[in-house]
Amino acid sequence: MWRHLNKLFFWGIFSSLTVQKASLDCDTRRTNKFHSPSLDSETKVVTRGQNVSLTCSNQNESLQITYFLFRREKHLRTHTGKGEPMIFNLSISEAHELGPYKCKAQVSNCSMVKYSREFNFTFVDPVITPVLNIHVVNTETDQHLILRCISFNGSLPISYTFFEKDVAISPPISKHVREPAEFNITKNNAGEREEYRCKAKNELPDYERYSQPVSINAAPGGDSCPFCLQVLLPGLLLVLIVIISILAFRILPKYKARKAMRDKTPRDYRNTATEVGIYANICENQAGKESVPGLEPRQCVSTAQDGTQHSQEIQYATPVFQKGAPGVHEARNDCKTGYIYSELIF
């Protein structure tokens, strides 16, 4: 009987000491300022269907802590550990799965509870292969290159980097709007063939795309039109002036010679006065007599009365044509048409 009472007595004392020790441990933990846990992930941006990991941890590594993961008010997972962070693996496919997430940390055998800050993921569309365009302007000694790179798809902002072969020649150029990134370089015309490309990358980690390489010859050519015009335009103007001068010197003398020849050609500028009157022809020969060949032609007399009522006598001769003997007759030098001449007998 006494043995049984002794056992109950010692059990009560042990339980009381255990409770006092637990209470003392909670007080000690309060004194050590049990901090709120931290909730983080390797990335905050994801694509649809991507697997991610959320890590919940506490600075105190000596306590036995139970971690609870929540999305909004919904409890997702529970893990218990000591001195190590808890990792929660998730898959995000829909917009409501982006968050917010919270982590709750509770010390085992103690009512002390702390919550982490909220954590959210963000959907990001990956970039596609960018397009590189190069505008070349050549001078006598240098070559100016204007490089433009753009990716037509992918969440903004997008960072662009330009490369010559495999060496970066520009710092990352960030674009918050859908427009090309531009980079200018100047090189000497060394006659070497250079290869350029560009890289596009947004906030999506470990995901980047490179453009197709574009090769450029260092020799002058391509878009060097301003330089070509500066060199060729004076020469073209000089050639044009020479051609116009030659045509003028060849055409002008011929024109003057033809004009002078037309001026030397005899022309009959006499104007025959028009007289208004009544004319009458009086022939000395009688009307019944016929002219005999070989005889002298008949003489006719005409009388005319002009507008002043004065009469004038005009004598006419009737010509007789006979075939003349062949001979040399004068002709104009500038006419090629042949003529047949006859003798005119008055």
Side-chain angles (χ1 to χ4, degrees):
M1 182 70 181
W2 286 103
R3 184 178 295 179
H4 182 69
L5 291 175
N6 288 334
K7 288 182 179 181
L8 291 176
F9 177 73
F10 285 112
W11 177 256
I13 293 175
F14 178 77
S15 299
S16 178
L17 292 175
T18 302
V19 171
Q20 290 178 0
K21 183 179 180 180
S23 178
L24 180 62
D25 289 342
C26 281
D27 292 338
T28 303
R29 290 161 189 164
R30 288 192 183 95
T31 304
N32 292 335
K33 294 182 179 180
F34 177 66
H35 297 285
S36 297
S38 62
L39 182 63
D40 202 1
S41 177
E42 294 181 355
T43 179
K44 291 184 177 181
V45 293
V46 295
T47 59
R48 295 182 183 274
Q50 181 176 341
N51 296 323
V52 295
S53 297
L54 280 171
T55 303
C56 188
S57 62
N58 192 279
Q59 294 179 352
N60 195 328
E61 298 181 356
S62 62
L63 300 176
Q64 186 80 12
I65 301 175
T66 301
Y67 296 96
F68 305 87
L69 181 66
F70 294 87
R71 184 176 64 225
R72 293 186 176 89
E73 303 299 330
K74 181 180 179 180
H75 174 254
L76 300 178
R77 310 280 175 81
T78 300
H79 287 293
T80 301
K82 182 180 180 179
E84 61 183 9
M86 290 293 104
I87 299 176
F88 301 94
N89 296 317
L90 304 170
S91 178
I92 299 178
S93 301
E94 303 295 334
H96 71 273
E97 297 176 340
L98 294 174
Y101 291 89
K102 276 187 178 182
C103 178
K104 171 186 172 182
Q106 182 176 359
V107 179
S108 300
N109 300 323
C110 188
S111 60
M112 187 179 298
V113 175
K114 295 287 185 178
Y115 286 90
S116 68
R117 293 181 179 180
E118 292 183 348
F119 183 89
N120 290 277
F121 291 100
T122 303
F123 275 141
V124 173
D125 294 327
V127 296
I128 63 173
T129 301
V131 177
L132 176 63
N133 290 318
I134 301 179
H135 181 74
V136 183
V137 178
N138 289 302
T139 62
E140 294 181 354
T141 58
D142 297 326
Q143 187 180 55
H144 302 282
L145 304 179
I146 303 174
L147 286 72
R148 296 185 178 93
C149 183
I150 185 172
S151 178
F152 292 102
N153 194 17
S155 299
L156 299 171
I158 298 178
S159 177
Y160 298 93
T161 306
F162 295 90
F163 294 84
E164 181 177 340
K165 294 181 179 178
D166 295 327
V167 180
I169 57 176
S170 75
I173 303 173
S174 182
K175 287 294 181 179
H176 293 265
V177 295
R178 192 79 58 186
E179 64 180 10
E182 185 173 305
F183 184 71
N184 300 329
I185 59 175
T186 300
K187 303 190 67 176
N188 295 328
N189 285 326
E192 298 179 357
R193 186 179 182 87
E194 301 293 348
E195 186 176 272
Y196 299 90
R197 59 178 180 162
C198 66
K199 178 182 73 174
K201 187 181 187 307
N202 57 10
E203 295 180 349
L204 194 63
D206 302 326
Y207 193 91
E208 55 195 22
R209 287 291 181 266
Y210 288 87
S211 69
Q212 294 294 327
V214 177
S215 299
I216 297 297
N217 291 322
D223 299 325
S224 57
C225 290
F227 175 70
C228 295
L229 290 177
Q230 292 177 2
V231 175
L232 297 178
L233 188 58
L236 292 175
L237 291 177
L238 181 60
V239 171
L240 185 61
I241 292 173
V242 170
I243 293 175
I244 293 175
S245 301
I246 293 174
L247 293 176
F249 283 114
R250 293 190 63 181
I251 295 175
L252 189 59
K254 292 183 178 180
Y255 173 75
K256 289 183 177 180
R258 292 180 179 178
K259 184 177 180 181
M261 187 177 297
R262 287 196 299 268
D263 293 339
K264 292 179 180 179
T265 303
R267 296 181 180 179
D268 188 7
Y269 294 100
R270 292 174 299 174
N271 295 327
T272 304
T274 304
E275 296 180 353
V276 180
I278 300 173
Y279 293 87
N281 294 326
I282 303 173
C283 296
E284 293 180 353
N285 296 333
Q286 295 180 0
K289 297 182 180 180
E290 295 180 359
S291 60
V292 179
L295 297 179
E296 291 185 3
R298 295 174 295 173
Q299 300 294 328
C300 298
V301 179
S302 299
T303 59
Q305 184 177 7
D306 56 13
T308 57
Q309 303 299 326
H310 293 89
S311 298
Q312 296 180 359
E313 183 174 297
I314 302 174
Q315 293 185 358
Y316 293 90
T318 302
V320 178
F321 294 92
Q322 292 183 354
K323 185 176 181 181
V328 179
H329 303 281
E330 293 182 359
R332 292 181 61 181
N333 295 328
D334 58 343
C335 296
K336 297 181 180 180
T337 306
Y339 290 88
I340 299 176
Y341 291 86
S342 63
E343 293 182 355
L344 181 61
I345 300 173
F346 294 93

